[in-house]
Amino acid sequence: MVFIAMRNHPRYQHSLEELFLRVFILVDDWLKANQERFRLPVQANQVASYSELFTIALVGELLAQPYELVWYWLVCQNHRGLFPRLPEYSRYHRIVRNAEPLWAELAQSLAAKEDEDWGIEVIDTKPLPIAKGKRWEWAKMPEASKGFSTMGMVWGFKLHAVVSLGGLFRRWAFVPAHAHESRVVEGLLGRATLGDRAYVGTGVYCPSRKDMKRQTFWPRALSRLRKRIETSFSSLVRSLHLHVGQVKTFWSLRARVNLKIAAHNLMHSGVLV
């Protein structure tokens, strides 16, 4: 599998109603197949099913809607024919955030369906800043820390991720911004994994530092393969607005990022084309 060209993305191939329907069928089948494991709570007067609410959240990400409240209002106003009984936004928001582990499992299940598996994965990190500059003084998130990243000095977290050569996220973890790669990489490795020089000595196959006596063989072809994860991160940032919006808790941050990773894998897995 290779990355889908922009013109072939589901958002450009289907009408909005068809996209809602395709995503709903996929989500509903997946939830039914895993209902014994998830055991989602059902209230006596619950309106709208979890499949409907999860569909709204995923389609909003596929359409690059940066503001959850605005997107939900648009769905309530313009698509009552598809979703006749929707709850208040506050309840929708809680359900989407409480589904944090489900978004991760959905993303991983989509990655597991890849047609081609070359036995090689790629690992890298992406900063998740909560605040910059003097805003650190007002940031109230005890799990976050100050650390250096590709975006400069930030207050927040790092997203450590492993992707397939097809660009789908398979495993990932959230760590404070100051944490070194060696602290988390062991729990993410599963097979032949490529990385950059930051992963020297961690079990990741990566180019050597220039001052090292023993140099690792690193042809240009491996550099091209390693850039696959840069393309995946770019999709999260540019197409799915990874850095847009504010969160107040570490739990909300994880839920938000997991949802975007699930949407990314849904978009690039080819199941909606």
Side-chain angles (χ1 to χ4, degrees):
M1 180 204 161
V2 296
F3 248 65
I4 299 174
M6 283 297 292
R7 64 179 179 275
N8 294 327
H9 279 189
R11 67 175 71 155
Y12 305 122
Q13 291 296 306
H14 309 296
S15 66
L16 184 53
E17 290 75 13
E18 185 177 359
L19 186 58
F20 272 128
L21 181 60
R22 285 174 175 262
V23 174
F24 175 82
I25 293 174
L26 185 146
V27 171
D28 192 57
D29 289 345
W30 181 72
L31 286 178
K32 289 178 179 178
N34 295 276
Q35 60 184 348
E36 292 300 323
R37 290 196 304 117
F38 296 149
R39 296 187 180 277
L40 296 173
V42 178
Q43 295 186 351
N45 299 319
Q46 180 171 328
V47 294
S49 65
Y50 286 105
S51 298
E52 290 177 296
L53 300 181
F54 291 170
T55 295
I56 293 173
L58 283 169
V59 171
E61 295 296 338
L62 293 176
L63 297 179
Q65 296 294 317
Y67 304 111
E68 183 184 80
L69 174 59
V70 175
W71 166 243
Y72 190 66
W73 180 84
L74 288 173
V75 173
C76 291
Q77 294 295 315
N78 301 323
H79 300 286
R80 283 293 185 180
L82 295 174
F83 308 101
R85 301 178 69 238
L86 291 176
E88 295 292 331
Y89 168 73
S90 59
R91 174 161 176 74
Y92 166 78
H93 176 77
R94 288 196 303 272
I95 289 175
V96 171
R97 289 297 172 263
N98 286 333
E100 173 216 342
L102 272 70
W103 299 130
E105 291 212 29
L106 175 60
Q108 291 173 336
S109 69
L110 291 168
K113 295 179 180 179
E114 279 189 289
D115 295 332
E116 296 180 2
D117 188 353
W118 301 97
I120 299 176
E121 298 174 332
V122 187
I123 189 171
D124 205 353
T125 64
K126 189 69 178 176
L128 298 173
I130 302 301
K132 295 183 181 180
K134 291 187 176 181
R135 291 182 179 270
W136 294 337
E137 301 174 6
W138 303 291
K140 297 181 180 179
M141 196 176 294
E143 300 89 350
S145 68
K146 183 170 66 174
F148 186 78
S149 71
T150 55
M151 300 175 66
M153 194 64 68
V154 299
W155 176 276
F157 302 89
K158 287 181 181 178
L159 171 66
H160 287 259
V162 174
V163 305
S164 66
L165 292 186
L168 301 188
F169 288 86
R170 289 187 168 174
R171 296 177 298 282
W172 58 94
F174 303 91
V175 298
H178 76 280
H180 191 266
E181 280 76 0
S182 59
R183 287 183 53 184
V184 69
V185 67
E186 183 178 353
L188 295 176
L189 299 185
R191 54 177 70 193
T193 308
L194 305 179
D196 58 19
R197 289 184 176 89
Y199 293 94
V200 170
T202 63
V204 175
Y205 192 79
C206 55
S208 306
R209 298 192 183 98
K210 293 182 179 180
D211 59 349
M212 296 178 66
K213 293 183 179 179
R214 186 175 181 178
Q215 296 291 311
T216 302
F217 177 66
W218 188 263
R220 285 188 176 181
L222 293 183
S223 294
R224 289 195 294 270
L225 291 179
R226 200 199 69 78
K227 287 186 178 296
R228 180 66 69 186
I229 194 169
E230 302 293 344
T231 306
S232 298
F233 280 147
S234 178
S235 173
L236 286 182
V237 173
R238 298 180 182 224
S239 298
L240 299 173
H241 302 296
L242 179 65
H243 292 146
V244 175
Q246 296 181 346
V247 293
K248 296 182 179 180
T249 65
F250 183 38
W251 163 66
S252 294
L253 175 72
R254 296 196 312 267
R256 184 174 181 273
V257 176
N258 284 351
L259 172 58
K260 292 183 181 298
I261 290 176
H264 168 91
N265 282 5
L266 181 61
M267 181 183 295
H268 293 284
S269 62
V271 297
L272 297 179
V273 175

